[in-house]
Structures are given as C-alpha cells and as structure tokens.
Amino acid sequence: MTQQIKVGGVVIGGGAPVSIQSMTNTKTQDAASTIAQIKSLAAAGCQIVRLAVPDMEAAEAIEKIREESPIPIVADIHFDHRLAVAAAERGADKIRINPGNVGGAENVKKVVEACRARHIPIRIGVNGGSLEKPLLQKYGGATAEAMLESALGHARLLEQEDFHDICISLKASDVPTTVRAYRLAARSTDYPLHIGVTEAGGGDAALIKSAAGLGALLIDGIGDTMRVSLTGDPLREISAAREILRAAGLRHEGVEIISCPTCGRTEIDLEKIAAGVTEALRGCKRDIRVAVMGCVVNGPGEAKSADYGIAGGRGCGVLFRRGETVGKVSEADMISALVKMIEEDA
Ligand code: SF4
C-alpha cells in the first residue's frame, strides 16, 4: 500500500478512494475566469484542480483563487523555484515541480522549506517527452525504466532534505509505456501515484487511450489519484474519469446506463433514447444500473442484471424493474416513464 499524503482536505494514497483531478485552461492570472472554471469542475465532481503558474503574476493570483476555490489547488511549476515558494506562500495546497530542474540544492531547499512549513506535498511529474538527456542516452529513449529512474532521482533530492510528502506521476503519451512505468513504480516505491496518460489528444481516440491506460492500472490496484488529459474543455475530463473509475469497479455513485448495440430486431430510435435517459439521470446519485434495450425479444433478458430498464416494441416500450415487466408506454413517453419509475423508488 502507498503512503498517504493530504492535499487540502483530500487524502491521496494508503487505500483512500482514487481522487479525480483536472487542470484549468484559463489564464491563472485571470483569477475570476479561473475561479469560475474551478467551480464548474468541482460541481462536476473534480476533487483537486491544477493551475499553470508560468510567472509571478500567476503565483500571486493563487491567493484570491484559493479563497474562493471549493477544492484544493495545485500549482504547476517548471524550473523556477521562486514561483514554487510564492505559490506555497499564497495558499497552494500542493506544488507540482521537479526538483532536479530548479537550479541546484539551495533552490530545492527553499522549495522544501516553504512546503514543509505549510504541510504542502510536492508532486514530481515526469513526462516521457521531457526526460533528462543522460537518461535518454542510457536507456536509448523515453522508456518506462528511464522515466522511473528520473522520478526516483527527483525524489532523492527531496529525501536528502528529509522531505517525504511526495506524490509521483510518470506520464508518457503512449499507453504501453505509461502502464509499464507505473507498474514498475508500484513495485519500486510506496509514494502515492498520480496516474494519467499525457497528451492523449481529443475525441474518441483520447478517451480510449485514457480508458485503456488508466483502466489497466486501476484494475491492478495501481493509482491513488488520476487525471484524464483531454484537449479542450476540462469538464469532459471529469465525466471520463468517473466512467473509468466506474468501469474499473472503483466508483459506485451514480447511474450506469447499459444499452444494447442494436441489430436488425431494434424497434426504436435507441441511440436517441439512450442519450435522453443518460441526460435525464445525470444528476442522480443512486448506485443503479439502467438498461435501454432495442427489442422486447431479448432486451429484458439481456438486461437482467439492471435495476431498471426499457425495451423497445413497435412504436412502444416495455418498462421493467429487475427483470420483471411492469408496464407498457408509447415510444414518445419512454424516457419520462422510465425516469418517473426510478424517481418513485428513490
Ligand atoms: Fe438486438 Fe434486441 Fe439484443 Fe438490442 S436487445 S441487440 S435489439 S436482440
């Protein structure tokens, strides 16, 4: 089991539930826009949010952002230890920085002291794309072994200052390297692991890369906090993270919609109805499975494991509850009738 760290009020590692992170894409200096985005991310289920801190103006904005953020914030810093110290002083709940890149032991010490004094953990974030040249030469590229050696090297610089409030990430943009790096890390260190596939891209391919990589790790019990990286609106990252956690059997809150793939027996506009049911039940917190099936021949049987469901007939739908038929409605009323039945049982 990994060690535990605390990021604001969120516990990471040591068997705590896997927390969901995202990153704002506003300018951090623009505190109002950043706060608005953090609030919508938090409302969607984000538990920790990271902000880019490229300059002192951004570091200073953390004070105002921290006051209004409903969730802990992580300052993402490259190279400049002064920004890390400033971010810690202004209330960041975690600092993401690689101590090997801050210009020497004296600067590492300053970052460590600023964090230690406030019980702020540091995440070492190794990316396959920005590995140290000697490691690239030693391993012949950005391999999983090279990434792990890089992370442990950064960690050693913190350990030399007797600082152990550490979390590690090892992100490559390809899934097999990412998975291998985290598997190696899980065997080599007990620091909590922040898992993610970096630069996954956008669209379906990005979702699938994240689901394959994070799913493989989570099912193996690897990963203490996660970020799904998607190009575009970070809100999509939260729903994707929740679904990956659910698929890995680690999250039980909220509705799981199962729908059949459709076939020649399909009697209703299943895609539209499944989308409507998903939307109507988005805010429902009950741990239930809802089936939306295309026909009455196989639908109720195929969805026996569901708590509630609907199966299409010609111009109508059959409602069922735990495999038992409970009524018949017109196609136009299918969504509302299904939702009503679920709400009545709540
Ligand atoms: Fe086809 Fe019916 Fe199965 Fe859907 S539930 S795939 S419509 S047989």
Side-chain angles (χ1 to χ4, degrees):
M1 192 171 297
T2 53
Q3 285 180 26
Q4 256 180 11
I5 62 168
K6 238 177 139 194
V7 180
V10 179
V11 175
I12 295 177
V18 178
S19 46
I20 297 173
Q21 307 205 15
S22 186
M23 188 166 183
T24 52
N25 61 4
T26 52
K27 295 282 177 211
T28 305
Q29 301 88 313
D30 177 356
S33 303
T34 304
I35 291 163
Q37 192 172 57
I38 292 174
K39 286 184 174 168
S40 52
L41 284 166
C46 180
Q47 294 164 283
I48 298 172
V49 66
R50 184 158 48 112
L51 326 172
V53 179
D55 55 31
M56 204 43 92
E57 206 190 330
E60 282 165 2
I62 286 176
E63 193 161 355
K64 170 111 185 82
I65 295 167
R66 186 70 207 83
E67 267 169 31
E68 298 202 34
S69 173
I71 51 177
I73 62 175
V74 183
D76 187 275
I77 292 154
H78 291 274
F79 308 118
D80 191 339
H81 72 283
R82 291 166 302 181
L83 297 179
V85 172
E89 287 171 351
R90 282 167 180 76
D93 298 285
K94 182 163 89 172
I95 304 290
R96 184 262 167 138
I97 195 164
N98 290 348
N101 303 342
V102 299
E106 273 313 301
N107 294 345
V108 173
K109 203 186 264 283
K110 286 177 190 158
V111 175
V112 163
E113 291 318 323
C115 290
R116 197 199 315 274
R118 297 168 181 83
H119 306 288
I120 301 172
I122 294 176
R123 167 156 74 93
I124 292 164
V126 169
N127 272 355
S130 52
L131 274 184
E132 300 91 325
K133 274 209 184 83
L135 288 175
L136 290 173
Q137 277 160 5
K138 176 176 170 186
Y139 289 98
T143 63
E145 289 79 2
M147 286 167 61
L148 179 62
E149 187 169 329
S150 172
L152 297 180
H154 288 298
R156 212 168 302 118
L157 298 174
L158 299 178
E159 290 157 359
Q160 280 163 5
E161 299 299 330
D162 198 23
F163 187 89
H164 307 274
D165 203 1
I166 297 171
C167 179
I168 285 178
S169 65
L170 303 154
K171 301 185 187 179
S173 52
D174 78 282
V175 174
T177 307
T178 302
V179 169
R180 194 169 144 66
Y182 279 108
R183 283 182 175 154
L184 286 174
R187 289 203 292 270
S188 314
T189 173
D190 58 4
Y191 290 129
L193 297 174
H194 163 125
I195 59 173
V197 178
T198 194
E199 297 135 18
D204 288 351
L207 288 170
I208 291 164
K209 274 172 91 170
S210 287
L214 301 184
L217 292 167
L218 292 167
I219 288 167
D220 279 357
I222 298 171
D224 300 290
T225 183
M226 67 189 278
R227 180 194 177 195
V228 175
S229 299
L230 298 176
T231 305
D233 185 348
L235 271 179
R236 290 173 57 235
E237 299 185 352
I238 308 306
S239 53
R242 291 162 78 113
E243 289 308 323
I244 292 170
L245 283 172
R246 174 186 286 284
L250 295 175
R251 182 174 181 274
H252 303 285
E253 184 194 84
V255 179
E256 179 180 6
I257 307 286
I258 51 176
S259 57
C260 77
T262 73
C263 73
R265 287 198 189 85
T266 310
E267 303 267 19
I268 51 171
D269 185 349
L270 192 86
E271 196 177 341
K272 188 167 150 215
I273 290 167
V277 171
T278 304
E279 191 49 44
L281 295 174
R282 193 176 292 286
C284 177
K285 298 260 187 283
R286 290 177 64 200
D287 176 18
I288 50 172
R289 298 183 94 196
V290 176
V292 183
M293 311 305 278
C295 75
V296 284
V297 180
N298 292 331
E302 285 187 23
K304 264 212 177 79
S305 63
D307 298 291
Y308 302 95
I310 194 147
R314 199 154 299 151
C316 68
V318 175
L319 287 170
F320 53 96
R321 184 192 272 117
R322 293 178 195 95
E324 298 290 325
T325 304
V326 294
K328 201 169 173 187
V329 290
S330 71
E331 183 167 351
D333 293 335
M334 282 171 77
I335 298 173
S336 56
L338 178 63
V339 171
K340 188 161 172 264
M341 173 170 67
I342 293 167
E343 284 173 353
E344 279 169 1
D345 281 1

